């Protein structure tokens, strides 16, 4: 697959997607969003890919938001479509069924913060800055930032961040639960690859069920989410990986998971 604004690399079972518009700090224009959607669909169906890393080109920015030159001429109907498209792409990332690691190498603002929040896990460079500064443009988040931020950091902090448009540093983002871990900028991709490698050795179907149980379960009443978990817990017993994992433990050896 050839893209204008994305780089797609494969390192054995790990795919690295780089948003590649460094001149505009990797702002997401409609074309980039479309390419991201197509790349995500391809990675979802590629059984050879077990983990995905998403990052931004250059040293300054992960993604500095939606492309403001496009937003400036947006119509009401076009804006609705754009938001729905962005939400659809981010939903696909959140529910890819394999871990997606955001390697936040700089600014993650607006749509960039929303993209990072749709990922399964977030590693941030100590130089990263995150926020939802849409209010400064007289607009509001459109790629479900109001929804994901409040679920990740709680209603009060989400209100504060989105209403103020303030940018926060990586350590504050870690403190409030917006990122999982902060690492020195120079080590970001090494750490992301290390984490991806660990996850790539895990049981793929179990990972898919965990992601599904947490994502879907959070939208359900507790009791229904628990029943959903129990169903997946039962279903996992049909996999070769379940037999391999338990047998390997009893035989005191490392399990080799095949995703079957
Ligand atoms: N959309 C389109 N272009 C963007 C952009 C965006 N979201 N963010 C940055 N750019 C462009 C700038 O216009 C500039 O282009 P130019 O060189 O042609 O002038 C280039 O990227 C570099 O950005 P610049 O503002 O000069 O860098 P900076 O280091 O001074 O500031 C930011 C960095 C991130 C603080 C600043 O670019 C910014 O506030 N960007 C907008 C963030 C935002 O509001 N995002 C939410 C959008 S919904």
């Amino acid at each position: 697959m050839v893209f204008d604004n994305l780089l797609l690399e494969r390192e054995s079972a790990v795919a690295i997607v780089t948003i590649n518009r460094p001149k505009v700090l990797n702002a997401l224009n409609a074309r980039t969003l479309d390419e991201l959607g197509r790349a995500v669909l391809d990675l979802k169906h590629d059984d050879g890919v077990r983990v995905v890393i998403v990052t931004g080109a250059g040293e300054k920015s992960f993604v500095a938001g939606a492309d403001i030159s496009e937003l400036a001429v947006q119509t009401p109907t076009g804006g609705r479509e754009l938001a729905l498209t962005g939400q659809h792409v981010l939903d696909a990332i959140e529910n890819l069924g394999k871990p997606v690691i955001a390697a936040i190498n700089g600014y993650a603002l607006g749509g960039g913060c929303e993209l990072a929040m749709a990922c399964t896990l977030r590693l941030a460079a100590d130089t990263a800055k995150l926020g939802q500064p849409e209010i400064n443009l007289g607009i509001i988040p459109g790629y479900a930032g109001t929804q994901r931020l409040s679920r990740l950091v709680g209603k009060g902090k989400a209100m504060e961040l989105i209403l103020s448009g303030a940018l926060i540093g990586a350590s504050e983002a870690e403190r409030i639960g917006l990122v999982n871990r902060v690492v020195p900028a120079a080590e970001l991709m090494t750490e992301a690859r290390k984490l991806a490698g660990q996850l790539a050795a895990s049981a793929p179907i179990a990972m898919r069920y965990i992601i599904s149980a947490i994502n879907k379960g959070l939208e359900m009443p507790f009791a229904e989410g628990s029943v959903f978990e129990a169903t997946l817990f039962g279903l996992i017993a049909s996999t070769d990986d379940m037999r391999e994992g338990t047998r390997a433990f009893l035989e005191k050896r490392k399990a080799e998971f095949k995703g079957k």
Side-chain angles (χ1 to χ4, degrees):
M1 226 179 245
V2 180
F3 300 109
D4 289 338
N5 300 333
L6 292 186
L7 301 174
L8 191 50
E9 298 158 81
R10 277 287 297 274
E11 294 175 3
S12 55
V14 178
I16 304 179
V17 179
T18 304
I19 313 292
N20 188 28
R21 298 182 78 213
K23 284 196 181 131
V24 287
L25 306 186
N26 305 317
L28 292 177
N29 61 359
R31 181 170 193 94
T32 311
L33 208 51
D34 174 67
E35 291 185 355
L36 190 57
R38 285 192 281 124
V40 163
L41 203 61
D42 199 48
L43 295 171
K44 182 185 181 91
H45 296 300
D46 186 337
D47 287 340
V49 173
R50 290 195 181 181
V51 182
V52 178
I53 296 173
V54 178
T55 193
E59 290 178 1
K60 201 168 161 185
S61 184
F62 175 70
V63 168
D67 192 312
I68 298 172
S69 61
E70 288 185 352
L71 295 181
V73 293
Q74 183 177 280
T75 62
T77 50
R80 182 176 185 273
E81 288 312 309
L82 178 70
L84 289 174
T85 302
Q87 291 173 7
H88 182 72
V89 172
L90 267 49
D91 280 349
I93 291 173
E94 185 165 49
N95 298 302
L96 194 72
K98 5 190 152 184
V100 183
I101 301 167
I104 305 169
N105 55 312
Y107 290 113
L109 308 181
C113 189
E114 290 168 310
L115 170 61
M117 289 193 289
C119 293
T120 325
L121 297 166
R122 283 154 292 284
L123 290 189
D126 53 4
T127 50
K129 291 217 176 319
L130 298 92
Q132 298 287 157
E134 287 89 347
I135 189 82
N136 299 325
L137 302 170
I139 63 171
I140 71 170
Y143 300 163
T146 55
Q147 304 306 301
R148 286 202 178 89
L149 190 59
S150 45
R151 281 163 174 77
L152 263 180
V153 305
K155 180 176 166 181
K157 269 286 162 202
M159 285 286 188
E160 184 185 336
L161 280 170
I162 299 175
L163 286 173
S164 71
L167 307 192
I168 57 172
S171 57
E172 173 68 356
E174 183 183 31
R175 193 185 69 77
I176 65 174
L178 179 51
V179 302
N180 295 86
R181 190 152 53 91
V182 180
V183 300
E187 291 162 28
L188 178 66
M189 287 313 289
T190 308
E191 288 296 321
R193 284 185 170 90
K194 200 194 289 177
L195 176 59
Q198 286 162 4
L199 292 166
S202 289
I205 300 173
M207 287 199 295
R208 185 158 79 233
Y209 286 0
I210 289 165
I211 291 168
S212 180
I214 293 179
N215 284 346
K216 301 270 183 291
L218 272 175
E219 306 306 320
M220 296 176 188
F222 185 91
E224 277 176 35
S226 301
V227 172
F228 181 52
E229 180 190 273
T231 304
L232 296 177
F233 184 79
L235 204 52
I236 203 78
S238 67
T239 63
D240 291 348
D241 282 351
M242 174 267 196
R243 276 177 287 284
E244 164 65 6
T246 48
R247 206 175 289 149
F249 175 83
L250 296 173
E251 292 169 3
K252 301 192 186 309
R253 62 176 172 82
K254 197 169 176 298
E256 271 203 35
F257 297 113
K258 301 266 183 339
K260 289 188 176 145

